[in-house]
């Protein structure tokens, strides 16, 4: 029997035509959290590696960040918006409860009346899960798909819950995908998996049908709190991201020796290091930017990919391994050749 991460292999592939990102201007240093909760810069650095994060301004929201990231990716791809056949947004902090963020973007970007949708609920695995889906869409008729990972999580988290609030940051990053073509960076394989038995230990349980928003719920002290059993999530994240990484490489017919850069989900420096170690990848082949942005959920992997490329960390023809893990539990791995 194949391992769970191989349940949903995508071998369709996709060209990566352009990348873009958007970061809110406001930088929040660790020290600033001491005004809100009983914490310290030292604790946050030692336990997470995070030094600062970006926070949305009062007038900034998910659609603003997503739009700017999308425009940057379209420009990078030299792709007019008219050529986009579908828009997919991976987010758990959408512009509104309904309709989805993707609908706002279709209008704001001036896209044709193409299908658009949000993929929500998989936390930090959202972008790679959506990439899996987009590869299939390209294999079944779409020519160009715009995929955006965005979180404005500072708007929805509990600023008095020290267990979680210090971990997150706001960001968006986008990719323009096309059908595979010569001399273009290409997604070679994607694999994704789910274990719903652990759903209650990571997520936001309020706002759905089980516990709808009500005047009573909103009066509770931690109504918006992210639920997270940190240590359990930590261990599972390492195991599943390593597993997904190996599975994606196997699908692509590549080995760990051939990986030029590992771009994991950026939740915690210790998780990143442990996953690199589990895969036997030295730290100089692991991309890390969690110190600058914290955990940006669905934006984390594309933001890291964008920054790695900007920093010249991906050689021409280089093999990039990506992995992510989030609420659900959902996880995913992808391999790309640049
Ligand atoms: O992206 C997917 C979703 N999330 C993750 O991947 C996160 C996974 N988990 C983690 O990154 C880590 O488990 C945390 C960073 C959340 C916590 O680190 P830890 O080393 O596992 O710490 P812990 O939960 O065992 O807590 C240690 C102590 C506790 O105090 P006691 O019980 O030992 O007295 C906490 O109350 O640290 C305390 N603590 C804090 N202290 C200062 C928790 N948060 C803070 C804080 N500042 N912000």
């Amino acid at each position: 029997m194949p391992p769970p991460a191989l349940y949903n292999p995508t071998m369709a592939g996709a060209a990566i035509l352009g990348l873009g990102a958007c970061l809110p201007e406001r930088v929040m240093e660790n020290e600033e959290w001491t005004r809100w909760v009983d914490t310290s810069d030292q604790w946050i650095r030692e336990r997470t590696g995070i030094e600062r994060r970006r926070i949305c301004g009062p007038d900034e929201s998910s659609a603003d960040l997503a739009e700017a990231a999308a425009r940057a990716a379209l420009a990078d791809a030299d792709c007019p918006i008219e050529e986009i056949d579908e828009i997919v947004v991976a987010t758990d902090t959408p512009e509104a409860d309904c309709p989805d963020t993707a609908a706002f973007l279709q209008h704001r970007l001036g896209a044709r009346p193409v299908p658009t949708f949000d993929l929500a609920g998989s936390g930090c695995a959202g972008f790679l899960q959506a990439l899996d889906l987009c590869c299939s869409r390209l294999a079944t008729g779409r020519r160009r798909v715009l995929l955006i990972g965005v979180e404005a999580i500072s708007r929805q988290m509990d600023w008095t819950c020290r267990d979680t609030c210090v971990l997150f940051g706001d960001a968006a990053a986008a990719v323009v995908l096309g059908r595979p073509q010569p001399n273009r960076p290409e997604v070679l394989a994607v694999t994704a998996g789910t274990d719903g038995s652990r759903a209650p230990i990571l997520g936001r349980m309020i706002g759905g049908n089980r516990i709808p928003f009500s005047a009573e719920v909103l009066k509770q002290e931690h109504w918006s709190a992210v639920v997270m059993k940190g240590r359990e999530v930590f261990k599972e994240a390492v195991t599943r991201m390593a597993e997904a990484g190996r599975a994606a490489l196997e699908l692509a017919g590549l080995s760990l020796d051939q990986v030029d850069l590992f771009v994991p989900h950026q939740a915690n420096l210790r998780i990143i290091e442990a996953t690199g170690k589990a895969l036997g990848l030295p730290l100089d082949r692991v991309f890390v930017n969690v110190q600058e942005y914290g955990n940006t959920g669905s934006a984390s992997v594309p933001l890291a990919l964008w920054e790695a490329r900007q920093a010249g960390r991906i050689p021409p023809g280089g093999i990039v391994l990506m992995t992510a893990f989030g609420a659900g539990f959902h996880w995913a791995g992808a391999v790309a050749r640049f």
Side-chain angles (χ1 to χ4, degrees):
M1 199 167 111
L6 282 170
Y7 282 175
N8 187 22
T10 296
M11 287 303 291
I16 300 174
L17 303 175
L19 289 167
C22 172
L23 291 155
E25 268 181 34
R26 186 178 167 225
V27 178
M28 183 177 183
E29 301 285 343
N30 285 346
E31 197 59 38
E32 207 182 313
W33 274 115
T34 60
R35 284 191 224 155
W36 295 85
V37 288
D38 179 15
T39 190
S40 65
D41 175 46
Q42 190 188 354
W43 190 95
I44 302 169
R45 275 177 199 252
E46 284 179 5
R47 299 295 178 117
T48 71
I50 299 166
E51 296 173 20
R52 56 193 65 83
R53 73 284 295 140
R54 301 296 179 95
I55 298 288
C56 277
D59 297 325
E60 245 170 348
S61 68
S62 301
D64 297 322
L65 301 184
E67 181 187 347
R71 287 191 188 280
L74 288 164
D76 188 47
D78 201 12
C79 174
I81 186 66
E82 295 77 24
E83 290 184 13
I84 293 296
D85 295 325
E86 190 155 305
I87 300 173
V88 182
V89 179
T91 186
D92 279 310
T93 51
E95 182 74 358
D97 194 32
C98 183
D100 53 15
T101 314
F104 289 95
L105 285 189
Q106 183 278 334
H107 175 64
R108 284 180 177 217
L109 293 168
R112 289 182 287 117
V114 295
T116 73
F117 53 88
D118 282 11
L119 187 144
S122 40
C124 312
F127 176 83
L128 287 184
Q129 273 208 320
L131 181 64
D132 187 7
L133 209 116
C134 290
C135 287
S136 314
R137 301 296 273 173
L138 287 158
T140 54
R142 305 281 185 245
R143 286 156 305 176
R144 291 196 171 184
V145 176
L146 174 60
L147 167 59
I148 303 139
V150 60
E151 306 292 354
I153 197 164
S154 65
R155 285 292 172 74
Q156 297 193 22
M157 69 193 184
D158 184 342
W159 283 55
T160 66
C161 176
R162 72 175 185 174
D163 293 347
T164 51
C165 66
V166 303
L167 305 175
F168 297 105
D170 301 334
V175 55
V176 178
L177 299 165
R179 293 187 190 152
Q181 49 191 271
N183 304 320
R184 285 287 198 157
E186 185 177 340
V187 179
L188 302 173
V190 188
T191 179
T194 302
D195 173 8
S197 69
R198 318 290 292 284
I201 77 164
L202 179 62
R204 278 177 75 228
M205 302 301 160
I206 291 168
N209 274 345
R210 175 66 59 185
I211 314 174
F213 287 120
S214 64
E216 209 170 292
V217 163
L218 294 176
K219 267 189 241 149
Q220 286 170 20
E221 197 185 356
H222 292 307
W223 66 267
S224 71
V226 173
V227 178
M228 186 170 71
K229 293 206 171 145
R231 282 189 188 175
E232 279 182 61
V233 174
F234 189 117
K235 280 187 211 148
E236 194 74 7
V238 173
T239 307
R240 293 301 191 180
M241 284 204 287
E243 182 185 277
R246 284 183 201 281
L249 280 170
E250 194 182 316
L251 273 171
L254 294 168
S255 69
L256 280 157
D257 293 344
Q258 292 170 285
V259 173
D260 292 287
L261 193 66
F262 177 41
V263 179
H265 167 48
Q266 308 282 314
N268 181 322
L269 180 59
R270 292 185 298 141
I271 296 179
I272 295 168
E273 287 174 348
T275 309
K277 200 171 162 197
L279 288 168
L281 289 169
L283 266 181
D284 62 355
R285 284 198 275 151
V286 181
F287 188 76
V288 180
N289 66 2
V290 70
Q291 69 281 5
E292 292 300 317
Y293 309 119
N295 182 347
T296 59
S298 289
S300 161
V301 170
L303 177 64
L305 188 65
W306 171 80
E307 203 168 86
R309 194 198 61 176
Q310 299 294 102
R313 291 284 306 272
I314 308 174
I319 297 294
V320 176
L321 176 65
M322 294 166 268
T323 58
F325 176 86
F329 293 140
H330 295 287
W331 59 88
V335 182
R337 185 194 297 113
F338 270 74

